[in-house]
Amino acid sequence: MAQGTARPRQRRKEERPGEILEAAFDEFTLHGFAATRLDAVAARAGITKGTIYIYFPSKEDLFVAAVSERVRPVNEHMAALSANPQGSAMAILRRHFEFVYAHMVHERGGRDLIRMVVAEAGRFPDIAERWHDAVIGPSVEMLRRVVRYGVGRGEFRASAAEEFPHLLFSPVMMAATWCSLFGAVRPLDLDRYRAAHLDLMEQSLRAGPERASD
């Protein structure tokens, strides 16, 4: 066997957590947290119920992991952009939000994620807190880092966006929610909506000509 080539059984074991998370996300999306049965998750993933507990100690752990995995590419993308920011802060934000719209609004799975988390957070505050600590909090802090970077280089004016970078993301939540609730009868032109969001964000953040730098 060539070096680095995994045996079928080993490769299957390595892939199993991802398959469980995908099956769990589908079940949670269809039925919500309370009504989802781990038996159904196991059946969808083609495993036994006991196998789930090898990787995820509880249903709550499984839920948080499933939604975290769905948003992982977005946070990884932002982490790469904000770790050592260089050049235009606005260009960084534009690149990030282009990625966010592609994965969280245009894709059905992203819209389902936002709709599900909003629906479940009020009923299960412990899950909401864990979701915030694992995903939302770090995402907000990364946006704050880029805004402060822009202020520091004179590209952005000092504004409430430093304290509340949530304001920059809220149009994404609105677009995803709108598409989930009204997309079939009142569809948004998502390309124009995204362009309008980014234009408004730039106008609200950018410093005056006397302060801006290249």
Side-chain angles (χ1 to χ4, degrees):
M1 179 179 296
Q3 185 176 3
T5 302
R7 297 177 183 275
R9 181 175 296 179
Q10 178 183 354
R11 185 169 61 249
R12 169 67 178 162
K13 185 176 180 180
E14 292 170 350
E15 293 172 353
R16 190 169 293 149
E19 294 171 351
I20 294 172
L21 292 177
E22 185 175 352
F25 183 82
D26 290 341
E27 288 295 318
F28 286 130
T29 298
L30 287 172
H31 305 294
F33 177 78
T36 291
R37 298 183 303 108
L38 293 187
D39 289 317
V41 174
R44 184 182 286 270
I47 58 173
T48 64
K49 180 179 176 180
T51 303
I52 295 176
Y53 289 109
I54 296 175
Y55 302 96
F56 307 100
S58 69
K59 183 177 171 182
E60 181 177 309
D61 289 311
L62 180 60
F63 181 89
V64 173
V67 294
S68 297
E69 177 63 19
R70 181 66 60 162
V71 81
R72 179 178 56 81
V74 173
N75 274 4
E76 287 183 349
H77 184 260
M78 186 55 171
L81 291 175
S82 63
N84 184 27
Q86 297 179 3
S88 167
M90 190 62 219
I92 293 174
L93 291 178
R94 282 186 171 274
R95 286 176 61 191
H96 174 60
F97 279 106
E98 292 281 355
F99 192 87
V100 169
Y101 272 96
H103 285 76
M104 302 300 292
V105 181
H106 283 278
E107 289 187 3
R108 177 65 181 270
R111 299 197 302 268
D112 288 343
L113 167 66
I114 292 175
R115 176 180 54 79
M116 178 175 62
V117 170
V118 169
E120 300 295 341
R123 291 185 288 177
F124 303 100
D126 290 344
I127 290 179
E129 182 176 2
R130 291 187 59 184
W131 162 250
H132 175 273
D133 291 347
V135 177
I136 301 301
S139 179
V140 168
E141 192 54 43
M142 285 186 284
L143 282 175
R144 180 178 289 117
R145 189 182 307 151
V146 176
V147 172
R148 286 177 173 168
Y149 164 73
V151 172
R153 72 190 297 269
E155 181 182 353
F156 293 164
R157 65 184 181 87
S159 71
E162 288 187 72
E163 183 178 3
F164 301 113
H166 320 63
L167 295 168
L168 305 181
F169 192 80
S170 57
V172 176
M173 297 286 289
M174 182 67 233
T177 302
W178 183 279
C179 289
S180 293
L181 296 178
F182 310 116
V185 293
R186 293 291 186 272
L188 287 177
D189 184 330
L190 288 175
D191 290 334
R192 292 181 62 197
Y193 180 99
R194 182 187 69 248
H197 171 198
L198 297 180
D199 181 60
L200 287 172
M201 181 170 61
E202 181 167 3
Q203 291 184 46
S204 67
L205 291 175
R206 191 167 294 282
E210 69 279 2
R211 294 181 55 202
S213 60
D214 295 332

